[in-house]
Amino acid sequence: MPKLLSIALLALCCLLGAARAEEAAAPFDNDLQRFAEILGTLHYLRGICGSNEGGKWRNEMQALLDAETPTGERRARMIAGFNRGYNGFQQTYRTCTPAATLAIRRYIDEGLKISRDLTARYAN
């Protein structure tokens, strides 16, 4: 019986921890996930378009993770967004095309807008 109670208590703690993690989601998480996706897109597209930036956009993603310090599911969602952006365009573009160049410009503009909006709304 004590072993069963311990297992039940452990399960309850896990459930409460998961509920708290969901409650702790920041109001700007959707924007951060979209921003992460844009960074992944730029990491791929700028690479095939010969920008010679190396890992700049991946490093920007790492800086975002370092600054935000998300944990658990929140961190996983941000990383998944980056990977979704990268993989989505990797499947579409193998070489730099005018459409890829246009996409780069649009994603940079969208990323700038998100970063300005987040900064204006949530920066101290």
Side-chain angles (χ1 to χ4, degrees), residues 1 7 9 11 19 21 24 31-32 36 41-42 45 48-49 61 64-65 68 70 82 86 88 90 93 97 101-102 122:
M1 187 71 160
I7 293 170
L9 184 57
D31 289 331
L32 284 182
T41 298
L42 291 172
L45 288 177
I48 64 168
C49 286
M61 178 64 190
L64 176 62
L65 290 171
E68 189 60 27
F82 181 88
Y86 185 94
Q90 185 181 38
Y93 295 98
T97 64
T101 302
L102 178 61
Y122 298 104

Side-chain angles (χ1 to χ4, degrees), residues 10-29:
L10 181 61
L12 179 61
C13 287
C14 290
L15 288 173
L16 289 175
R20 282 193 195 112
E22 288 301 317
E23 290 174 22
F28 47 81
D29 275 356

